[in-house]
Amino acid sequence: MMKVAGQEGAARALGMSTVAFTVCFAVWTIFAIIGIRLREELQLSEVQFGLLVGTPILTGSLIRIVLGIWTDLYGGRLVFTLNMLAAAAATFLLAYADTYPTVLLAALGVGVAGGSFSVGVAYVSRFFPPERQGIALGVFGAGNVGAAVTKLLAPFVLVAFGWQAVAEVWAVALALMAVVFWVTTKDDPVIRERRLTGARPKSALLELAPLRNVQVWRFSLYYFFVFGAFVDLSLWLPQYLVRVYDLDIETAGVIAACFSIPASLFRAYGGHLSDTYGARRVLYWTFLVSVVATFVLSYPAADYVIHGAHGDIRFHLGMGLVGFTVTVFVLGFFMALGKAAVYKHIPVYYPAHVGAVGGLVGMIGGLGGFVLPILFGVLLDLTGLWTSCFMALFVIVAVSLTWMHVAVRQMERAAAGPALAALPPFPEMLDMPRPILAAAPGKAVLTDWRPEDKSFWNATGRRIAQRNLWLSIPSLLLSFAIWQVWSVVVSKLPLVGFNLTTDQLFWLAALPGLSGATLRIFYSFMVPVFGGRLWTTLTTWSLIIPAVGIGYAVQNPETPYAVLLVLALCCGFGGGNFASSMANISFFFPRAEKGNALALNAGLGNLGVSVVQFAVPLVITMGLFGKLGGEPVMVADPSGPAPLWLQNAGFFFVPFIVLSAFASWFGMNDIASAKASFSEQAVIFERRHNWIMCWLYTGTFGSFIGYSAGFPLLSKMLFPDVNALAYAFLGPLVGALARSGTGWLADRQGGARVTVWVFALMMAGTAGVLWFIGIKDQPGAFWGFFVSFLVLFFATGVGNASTFQMIPAISAREMARLMPDADPETRRRQAEKEAAAITGFTSAIAAFGAFFIPKGFGTSIALTGGAEAALWSFMAFYVTCLGITWVVYARRGGLLHDVERQRRSVVASAAR
């Protein structure tokens, strides 16, 4: 870390950076005010409004890590200036947007202003020594007050001259600030020293090295709350006050500033407290007070009636405007302290990577400002409660506090390990003799596992691996069934008396996709931490929650919608299980058989989608459990009233879940050499092939699960005269069977080579769908459309197997380069661990296709009147997947070309 290069230069750099960041932040949050007028003019829904105010936050967040790296490489003075000029141009053009799509496009450019934070952090920190960086970055971060500047001034400009004038004035101010900043500041000491010595900056990839540390991601979660929630509330509070307390826009802006001002100006004081008392103590107080504040703000206004001994006692509980203002002031004050405390850590722990680490933390925090407005709009639409936004914040801060406390306690236990281990279980036993425990060795843990050793594999390994595989498959099949059960249940809810809107039904069907994909990210790393046997058992038991919950909830039409939403989210347990199941099975098989093993596990597991779409419509017409299963509901049927046991959609799977969970516990094994902590597995975030395979697997599995969810609805909309639901299960069935039946093809021919042809076939299938949509009014068009989709499902199944076969091959190939001095066995174990983590993580990212492909169809139809725009975008995506697979892996000189060519030669020789 460079020392201060002259107090005058440091003071000027800090002062001008703070002013510049204030102007940038004022521009970044401009939609907090003009968005209210735009919502009225464009007649936006709550979700559309949330997307509008969140779009610039998304850009400003995603660009932070790139701008941070550029600042480390090229200097903050240059990057900051160019950043402000680019944002000024986009903000000026915003004044000429007159439709929702063009306003969204302009908002993406406006968001560039938010990226200035990571530039300023890296630039300012280089002027100050470690003992003064807390206060310096606290002063710089006080530029968040720009949000209050917008709330105080923009309403008056808007009322007097219109929202377009606000955009033009703010753009001119930002452009002038860029010029002033360039003229009045100097390059930081590191850049000046490089020029004197002629040293070249490091590679941008080296700047990403610290991102493997779990500590960085924990800091990111903290910042997601203290900064992301601050940005979000800055955007959300004006309309909250207008809608809840019936205030005019000017008054709402002033009161909202009571939150933004302390959440900005006191950041400098937070830096001082962090320098003086320690950042950890400041964060503890921040989270503790925030838990209380968000809980109080979460409570909706309600009237209560207590039936007392002498009559009813009635009272009202709700927060008035004064109490609300005071509480958000307190919340903003402690958020300011927390923001400073988080960034106190970064230049101390990562002095050579302030830009990259600060950029990542800032990016995750800024993403809170994008995700939370949309989440707030969704929660408002779903629950009808304005206070639901604070309920979401309460959950986030509670998780942050818990994670921080657990991490601190783990650190303390590690430091005092021997002393703690010597203590008895209870204080009363201090003077008693300690019992002698004799632990019997368990057969469930495999301490000697060498699948690449052919003699070991043929004698012992194959039998054990096959047993674990065939116990894993039914567990995964049940997981997929529970994950997709709402896709069948939601269509029947109106029949049994539930009065839900189409939008509410859509969210019930979509939420399992979101929660399942999100859980996969965490489940990806759990097998090496807990062991495959224990984790498979626990995750299988977790399916009981949504299965039983659905069984009881659907029997009563008065069940609150919030309960149905929670059950839909819990169905995501099934989606999350895929990541851990695939990671677990990958440890058991040698590289030559991984492709087929993973294909069988995933392909037969994927059959759960077809099972639920085929079996549930049958079992809900039968009284399978007698009186134990509840009474049926009489519903209209073409042949007359008929009984319907909708509860069987959940209850039907319960016995199978119980059997599978017991079988997993008593029949599966853990592999001792597969144990690894999260930090050991987090090395995959440095591997570029991890991110490439995320892209490719999204093309295969993301398409499979997305089309599984979207095909029935799309068919119904395009061909209303055809009973497409009767054939819906065939698509997932073809995809699942293709995956389980073609794993050998990737093992024999090479995953990269097969994947190239897969994407070519997917492009052909998409072209067929587009063609038959174009002639959908002609006879036979549906069958051409249906066959084209079956081609797509078949291709996704083959591609799911081939891409997963590529992952262990890539990891094994890379170990020779990454660990040149390690022995073959060490390389093998490391390759196994990384391949398992990459397998799980790629499945997590790809699973978001379950939400975004159906949503893409819906958005395309809403904006253009047809699904063609979505399909053309999918076609373009498949083109990029084919090109990447060929260039990086399959072509001569590609990473896997020689490996796969050698494998084909060996297979051909064996065949002869």
Side-chain angles (χ1 to χ4, degrees), residues 58-70:
L58 174 65
T59 310
S61 303
L62 295 179
I63 203 173
R64 283 185 172 190
I65 190 168
V66 176
L67 291 177
I69 292 173
W70 286 352

Side-chain angles (χ1 to χ4, degrees), residues 23-60:
V23 179
C24 286
F25 214 91
V27 170
W28 198 31
T29 55
I30 192 173
F31 284 98
I33 300 301
I34 69 172
I36 297 175
R37 183 61 56 85
L38 282 167
R39 183 180 61 186
E40 296 172 355
E41 291 186 5
L42 301 177
Q43 301 195 349
L44 306 179
S45 68
E46 297 298 340
V47 174
Q48 287 177 315
F49 177 74
L51 180 61
L52 174 62
V53 299
T55 294
I57 310 304
L58 174 65
T59 310

